[in-house]
Amino acid sequence: MSENLLILHPRDAWHAPQCREAAIRSLAATGLIETPPIPELDGHYRAGERFLDHITFLGCSPVIALEAPGAAGEMCLVEVPVPLAEPKFLAGVNAKLPRCPACRYRIERWETIVEAWEADSGSHRWHCPVCGRHHAVPELDWRQSAGFARFFIRISGIFEGEAVPGEALLRSLGDAAGADFTYFYYRG
């Protein structure tokens, strides 16, 4: 069974909240999650009473399992893990070719760029062969199909392009963590 996630994270790969409790408080205050966490799943929360106010589903008939696992076997849960010490690259089988943020050049062999970034403790910069600019690897346009961060909030049971987080939710997380938040989709 594949895993379908909407993942929220700070735009700055090196930034993370001081502790996950600040993010949990923010998510609970917005009504995105229901507290306390699910006892048998560390850091996992059920969707809160205002979940659908903050996650906008697109299309005419989305299917989201908020109470019990749906037909695909997935239930919508929100995982809030402990922040990592170093940024991590996260992409699923749905990863798209990233693009240069300046000229939109498509990067065909992006895996080697990520490997160099990981080997260089996150300081490797990519040089665009078309426009000549240098970019930090996390700043490339990953087209909402991959991300770099020390802190990922994973919302399960959401298929790629099926839903988007609302601006109020991203702003609330940003205020709690002291950094702008963005998102991407993961299918694994």
Side-chain angles (χ1 to χ4, degrees):
M1 175 173 62
S2 67
E3 185 177 34
N4 295 287
L5 305 169
L6 171 63
I7 300 179
L8 314 176
H9 66 94
R11 192 173 300 278
D12 177 351
W14 289 92
H15 191 85
Q18 296 291 345
C19 63
R20 76 176 174 174
E21 284 70 29
I24 292 167
R25 282 191 300 274
S26 174
L27 294 170
T30 64
L32 186 82
I33 63 171
E34 181 181 290
T35 56
I38 299 170
E40 59 274 9
L41 296 172
D42 183 44
H44 287 74
Y45 297 82
R46 294 189 190 287
E49 63 186 33
R50 297 199 53 222
F51 181 86
L52 295 173
D53 293 343
H54 295 292
I55 304 294
T56 302
F57 285 83
L58 311 171
C60 58
S61 58
V63 176
I64 184 74
L66 297 176
E67 299 295 325
E74 286 188 281
M75 182 174 167
C76 182
L77 296 175
V78 180
E79 179 188 2
V80 186
V82 174
L84 303 168
E86 299 281 326
K88 174 184 174 184
F89 174 69
L90 186 58
V93 297
N94 62 314
K96 296 174 178 60
L97 295 177
R99 295 183 181 267
C100 172
C103 72
R104 311 299 300 150
Y105 170 76
R106 284 179 16 154
I107 304 164
E108 297 287 335
R109 296 184 50 218
W110 60 266
E111 293 91 344
T112 58
I113 296 166
V114 171
E115 288 169 6
W117 180 84
E118 290 172 334
D120 197 19
S121 299
S123 61
H124 177 76
R125 296 181 65 79
W126 175 76
H127 177 257
C128 180
V130 175
C131 70
R133 293 188 179 166
H134 288 83
H135 300 281
V137 178
E139 294 171 1
L140 299 176
D141 180 0
W142 291 93
R143 302 170 55 210
Q144 294 177 326
S145 68
F148 294 78
R150 291 180 45 221
F151 183 69
F152 297 101
I153 297 171
R154 298 170 178 91
I155 304 173
S156 61
I158 297 181
F159 292 86
E160 183 173 3
E162 179 181 46
V164 295
E167 287 301 316
L169 172 62
L170 295 175
R171 192 172 34 258
S172 174
L173 283 168
D175 290 347
D180 290 338
F181 267 67
T182 188
Y183 67 97
F184 67 94
Y185 302 97
Y186 175 94
R187 186 175 67 242

